[in-house]
Amino acid sequence: MGLHEKNKDTMNESIFSNHNIGMELPKNRIPQKENDPRVILELIKDELFLDGNARQNLATFCQTYVPKEVHELMDLSISKNMIDKDEYPQSAEIERRCVHILSQLWNSPDEAKSIGTSTVGSSEACMLGGLAMFYRWKEKRKKEGKDFSRPNLVTGPVQICWHKFARYWDIELREVPMEKDCFYMSPEHMEKYLDENTIGVVTTLGLTFTGAYEPVEELSKALDEYEKKTGLSIDLHVDGASGGFLAPFCAPDLKWDFRLPRVKSISSSGHKFGLAPLGCGWVLWRDVADLPENLIFHVNYLGGDMAVFQLNFSRPAGQIISQYFLLLRLGFEGYKKIHGNCYCTAQYIAKELEKLGIFELIYDGNPEKGIPAVTWKLKKDAKVSFNLYDFADKLRSRGWQVPAYSLPANAQDIVVQRILVRQGVSLDMASLLLEDIKRTIEYFKTHEVVTHLTKEEGTSFAH
C-alpha cells in the first residue's frame, strides 16, 4: 500500500481558515501577489451586502427581478459583442427583430420604413433622438440660408440625460418649469418657449418626478396650431423611458406614439418596464428620412459593412437577446398581465395611504394617466412632527427605499415621496410596506423630531 502525504493546499480547507481571509481588501492599489480566488470572491460578496436589498428599492425604475432563463441567456451571451455584427450575425438579427416588434407596438405607419437601434439604456437613446432632431433642424436652416448658431430644445420637467444632451452639444435647454398647480408641460406653457431656433420638443411619457404622463396628443395638436400661425414646423420626440413599454399594453387607446404624425422619434428603456436586465434601451424613428444620413457611420473593418448610429461601441449582446426572449415568452398577454398587476398594487397603495389622513396624493397609479407609481406629499394641515425626509430615513431602517425629494422650479418648495411598483413588487409586499408606514407614523408620535433632516442629509436620491 502506498503512503500519501496530505496536501496542505487541499480544496477542503475552509475559506475562513485561509491566511488571505485576514487581509483588508486593497482600495486604491493593485496587490503585488496573487490571492486565493475563493477568498477574494467571499470578501467582495461581503462588501456587497452593504448595498441593501434591491427588491425593496422602490426608488428605481429599473428591473430588480430577473428570471432564471434570462440569467442563462446572459451567461451564454457574455462574450458576444453587440457591435460586431459580422461575427455575431444572429445577435444582429435578433436586434433587428426587436426593432420591428417595437415599431408595431408603437404604431409605425409603415414598419418597412421605420428605423431604429438598441442602446445601453434610454439615456443613450435620448441622446440619439436629440442628435437626429438637431441635425434635421440644422440641415433645414442651411438649405434656407438661415442662421443655425443658436439652437434650443423645449422640454417639460425632464430626466437629467436631457440636461447632459443640451450641455454636450451646446444647445440651449428651455425646460418649461412646473407650477404649483401644474406638474407637467401644458400646451399653453410650451408655446411661450418656442421660436425659429427650436430644434424640437421633448415630451415625457412617465415623468420621473411624479410618474404621470405628459399630454402628448394635446402638445402635438398645439404644435399643429403653432405651425398654422407661424409657419414653423417643430418635431416631437417622445421620451417613453417608462411609458413606452406600458401604454401599448395598459392604455392602448392613448395616442402618444407614431399615430401622431408630428412624433418623429421615440426612446424607451428595455430595462425598465420592458422587463429586460440592466443595459438595454431602444430608439426608433418614424421614417428613414427622419434619421439624417450624415449621422450614420458605415464600419467595414470588422469583416463586413455595418450601418452604426451609437455613442458607444463594444457592449454585450445579452441584454438584447434577453429582451427578445421576454417579448416572445410573455407576448402581449403576458406584458399586459404583469403591468396590470403592478397598476393594481399601485392603486391599492394609493388608497391605503389616503386613508391615513395625513398624505395628499399627487399621482395614484391610474394606467390612463401614468406609470404604476404613487406620489404624495404631506397635507398642509397634517399634525405631524416629521417631514418626508425624516419619514424616508426611518423607513430605510426597515430596508425600504422610498425616496423623498423636492420638485423642480417653480414648485421647489413642494417635497414629495414616490413609490415605483415594478415586476416583483407584489400586493403582499405592498401590504408589508404599508404596515411599516403605519408603524413609522406611530413611532414619530412618541419620538418627536427636534431637528429635521434636510434634502442633503435625508436622501441620496437624484433624478
Side-chain angles (χ1 to χ4, degrees):
M1 178 181 290
L3 297 175
H4 301 280
E5 184 179 344
K6 184 179 178 182
N7 185 346
K8 293 180 181 178
D9 295 325
T10 176
M11 289 302 293
N12 291 327
E13 179 185 42
S14 168
I15 288 176
F16 295 100
S17 66
N18 188 295
H19 73 280
N20 285 146
I21 201 69
M23 71 184 292
E24 181 180 347
L25 287 179
K27 306 299 191 295
N28 303 307
R29 293 184 179 181
I30 187 170
Q32 290 298 315
K33 295 182 179 180
E34 294 178 291
N35 290 290
D36 188 321
R38 297 176 305 144
V39 174
I40 299 301
L41 176 62
E42 189 66 32
L43 291 174
I44 292 176
K45 284 165 65 177
D46 287 348
E47 288 205 0
L48 292 176
F49 284 132
L50 298 176
D51 278 343
N53 180 4
R55 293 284 292 280
Q56 285 184 284
N57 181 359
L58 304 181
T60 182
F61 289 75
C62 302
Q63 281 304 303
T64 55
Y65 175 81
V66 183
K68 63 179 182 179
E69 296 89 351
V70 169
H71 277 280
E72 187 173 341
L73 286 170
M74 292 291 283
D75 286 344
L76 182 68
S77 308
I78 197 168
S79 60
K80 293 180 186 288
N81 191 347
M82 194 67 243
I83 199 66
D84 197 344
K85 293 172 172 55
D86 186 56
E87 287 190 25
Y88 304 106
Q90 202 57 35
S91 295
E93 166 61 16
I94 286 172
E95 179 187 32
R96 185 198 66 80
R97 292 175 190 175
C98 288
V99 167
H100 279 272
I101 289 170
L102 290 178
S103 70
Q104 178 262 325
L105 275 177
W106 294 343
N107 292 293
S108 171
D110 187 346
E111 290 176 37
K113 288 186 177 181
S114 290
I115 189 170
T117 183
S118 67
T119 63
V120 293
S122 61
S123 289
E124 185 193 8
C126 289
M127 296 276 182
L128 299 183
L131 274 173
M133 273 196 295
F134 178 35
Y135 273 67
R136 287 198 306 268
W137 171 84
K138 187 162 67 170
E139 288 174 3
K140 183 180 178 184
R141 299 283 288 181
K142 282 182 179 179
K143 287 178 182 177
E144 295 172 348
K146 295 179 179 177
D147 177 65
F148 53 87
S149 64
R150 294 178 294 137
N152 69 69
L153 178 67
V154 175
T155 73
V158 283
Q159 206 265 355
I160 197 169
C161 70
W162 289 105
H163 291 259
K164 291 179 180 178
F165 167 75
R167 187 180 300 179
Y168 294 166
W169 277 278
D170 197 21
I171 294 168
E172 178 193 356
L173 182 65
R174 296 182 175 178
E175 189 174 15
V176 180
M178 285 186 175
E179 302 295 339
K180 292 182 180 180
D181 58 347
C182 184
F183 297 141
Y184 59 88
M185 175 172 61
S186 68
E188 297 76 25
H189 290 151
M190 173 191 71
E191 190 170 337
K192 300 173 186 175
Y193 291 80
L194 304 173
D195 61 31
E196 64 177 355
N197 291 312
T198 301
I199 68 171
V201 172
V202 173
T203 180
T204 307
L205 200 71
L207 292 165
T208 55
F209 297 98
T210 64
Y213 293 156
E214 285 191 312
V216 183
E217 186 175 16
E218 290 178 29
L219 294 168
S220 178
K221 288 177 179 178
L223 288 172
D224 291 342
E225 292 301 314
Y226 185 78
E227 183 176 2
K228 289 177 184 177
K229 288 190 295 184
T230 66
L232 296 172
S233 179
I234 298 174
D235 297 337
L236 265 176
H237 172 88
V238 178
D239 182 348
S242 297
F245 275 96
L246 288 164
F249 306 106
C250 300
D253 296 329
L254 185 70
K255 287 186 179 179
W256 64 274
D257 51 21
F258 291 129
R259 283 171 289 182
L260 302 172
R262 200 165 288 277
V263 174
K264 302 300 182 186
S265 53
I266 300 171
S267 56
S268 192
S269 277
H271 62 228
K272 291 178 183 170
F273 291 95
L275 309 182
L278 282 167
C280 180
W282 302 94
V283 58
L284 271 67
W285 287 269
R286 178 187 195 83
D287 192 278
V288 178
D290 295 320
L291 177 56
E293 176 63 30
N294 60 351
L295 285 175
I296 300 172
F297 285 81
H298 292 272
V299 182
N300 59 19
Y301 57 83
L302 294 175
D305 182 73
M306 292 182 296
V308 175
F309 180 36
Q310 290 166 321
L311 297 181
N312 57 19
F313 204 65
S314 296
R315 60 191 171 95
Q319 290 88 340
I320 309 308
I321 295 167
S322 297
Q323 180 79 87
Y324 184 57
F325 163 78
L326 290 160
L327 290 167
L328 297 187
R329 180 260 180 275
L330 293 172
F332 192 94
E333 180 186 44
Y335 271 95
K336 184 175 180 179
K337 283 180 178 178
I338 289 171
H339 295 332
N341 285 337
C342 291
Y343 278 111
C344 286
T345 300
Q347 290 170 329
Y348 162 72
I349 292 171
K351 288 175 183 175
E352 293 301 309
L353 286 173
E354 205 164 26
K355 289 178 185 177
L356 297 174
I358 61 172
F359 300 123
E360 180 181 334
L361 292 177
I362 290 174
Y363 171 65
D364 64 356
N366 184 334
E368 295 292 329
K369 296 183 178 180
I371 68 178
V374 186
T375 310
W376 68 90
K377 63 179 180 176
L378 280 171
K379 286 184 175 179
K380 287 183 179 179
D381 59 353
K383 293 180 172 59
V384 296
S385 69
F386 59 86
N387 64 25
L388 290 184
Y389 297 121
D390 301 322
F391 200 73
D393 185 65
K394 184 60 181 173
L395 281 176
R396 193 153 189 164
S397 69
R398 288 281 291 171
W400 302 108
Q401 296 181 52
V402 183
Y405 51 91
S406 60
L407 295 178
N410 292 329
Q412 62 268 29
D413 58 338
I414 298 175
V415 177
V416 303
Q417 271 188 291
R418 188 202 63 210
I419 287 173
L420 260 298
V421 181
R422 308 174 308 278
Q423 177 183 221
V425 181
S426 64
L427 193 69
D428 183 67
M429 190 175 176
S431 69
L432 295 174
L433 167 66
L434 285 161
E435 286 304 312
D436 279 333
I437 286 175
K438 292 172 185 176
R439 193 176 292 116
T440 300
I441 293 171
E442 290 302 313
Y443 171 86
F444 281 119
K445 286 180 180 179
T446 55
H447 296 75
E448 188 171 336
V449 179
V450 178
T451 305
H452 292 294
L453 290 176
T454 64
K455 179 172 66 172
E456 292 73 23
E457 294 169 331
T459 180
S460 60
F461 179 76
H463 290 282

